[in-house]
């Protein structure tokens, strides 16, 4: 088995384990009940809108856009940050908040202090044999651009002027499972 195939299985396994653990959060646990509406029985849905759902996660700069993907067993709401599509929240069919998908991915580069996030300028839906999917064309954040005009610009030197990683992140919900599959197809553009 090649290392790419192994990484793909590892990522899928991590997402499945995370979802199984999150699904079993006790009713009186940290999650609070929020009636946000469940998907229609047996249907896989995807919808987009401005201010459709107010995010629970407060550590992101919300760009006032969200898109939903779900079935009658699980629901994922992805939110746009000011810089691009980047985080999601998982809900039970009854609308109970379960967990946060804090980002679409991070890249830790050699000799750098902090990882850079993968963000997407746009998102689109597609339907395939596996179910309904959200597809994000992602690129790594260019830290140098984010530091322009700040007090950090002069003393924090990031060598890259362009995204070092680009690719596609796909989130898929099968029609009848309480699982969200996350697939990565990434290419390094810098060396």
């Amino acid at each position: 088995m090649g290392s790419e195939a192994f990484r793909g299985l590892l990522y899928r396994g991590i997402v499945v384990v995370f979802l199984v653990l999150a699904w079993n959060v006790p009713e009186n646990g940290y999650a609070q009940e929020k009636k946000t509406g469940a998907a229609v029985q047996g249907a896989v849905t995807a919808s987009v809108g401005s201010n459709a759902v107010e995010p629970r996660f407060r550590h992101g700069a919300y760009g006032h856009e969200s898109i939903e993907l779900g079935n009658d067993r699980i629901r994922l709401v992805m939110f746009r940050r000011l810089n691009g599509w980047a985080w999601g929240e998982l809900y039970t069919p009854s609308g109970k908040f379960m967990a946060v998908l804090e980002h679409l991915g991070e890249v830790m580069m050699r000799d750098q202090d902090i990882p850079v996030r993968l963000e997407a300028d746009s998102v689109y839906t597609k339907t395939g044999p596996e179910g309904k999917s959200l597809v994000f064309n992602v690129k790594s954040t260019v830290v140098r651009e984010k530091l322009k005009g700040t007090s950090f610009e002069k003393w924090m030197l990031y060598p890259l002027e362009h995204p070092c990683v680009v690719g596609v992140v796909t989130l898929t919900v099968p029609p009848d499972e309480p699982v969200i599959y996350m697939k990565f197809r990434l290419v390094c553009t810098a060396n």
Side-chain angles (χ1 to χ4, degrees), residues 19-26 96 98:
L19 290 174
V20 168
L21 291 173
W23 191 261
N24 291 313
V25 171
K96 178 181 169 186
M98 287 194 305

Side-chain angles (χ1 to χ4, degrees), residues 46 69 124-128 130-135 170-172 185:
L69 180 68
Y124 65 92
T125 60
K126 76 174 188 177
T127 303
E130 307 90 25
K132 194 89 152 183
S133 299
L134 296 177
V135 181
T170 306
L171 301 171
T172 304
R185 213 174 55 224

Side-chain angles (χ1 to χ4, degrees), residues 132-186:
K132 194 89 152 183
S133 299
L134 296 177
V135 181
F136 299 88
N137 291 316
V138 296
K139 61 185 177 186
S140 58
T141 303
V142 179
V143 177
R144 183 178 283 201
E145 290 175 3
K146 304 300 178 203
L147 296 177
K148 280 185 184 172
T150 70
S151 61
F152 299 105
E153 182 178 16
K154 303 256 189 268
W155 62 272
M156 288 183 78
L157 180 61
Y158 277 81
L160 301 172
E161 296 176 1
H162 304 287
C164 63
V165 173
V166 296
V168 176
V169 174
T170 306
L171 301 171
T172 304
V173 174
D176 56 357
E177 296 178 54
V179 174
I180 297 172
Y181 293 101
M182 188 174 203
K183 296 179 190 173
F184 295 86
R185 213 174 55 224
L186 304 173

Side-chain angles (χ1 to χ4, degrees), residues 100-126:
V100 171
L101 175 65
E102 202 167 333
H103 48 72
L104 292 170
E106 285 186 337
V107 177
M108 184 65 174
M109 296 180 292
R110 191 185 86 190
D111 299 329
Q112 298 301 307
D113 299 326
I114 58 171
V116 292
R117 291 203 170 151
L118 299 177
E119 294 182 338
D121 291 330
S122 61
V123 59
Y124 65 92
T125 60
K126 76 174 188 177

Side-chain angles (χ1 to χ4, degrees), residues 45-85:
T45 60
S47 59
V48 67
S50 297
N51 289 330
V53 175
E54 198 63 32
R56 296 291 215 52
F57 182 65
R58 298 292 181 207
H59 298 288
Y62 181 38
H64 300 288
E65 286 184 75
S66 64
I67 186 167
E68 295 185 25
L69 180 68
N71 59 26
D72 62 334
R73 312 264 314 267
I74 193 166
R75 188 167 61 101
L76 172 69
V77 181
M78 293 298 294
F79 295 96
R80 183 177 175 86
R81 293 183 192 270
L82 297 177
N83 298 330
W85 293 94

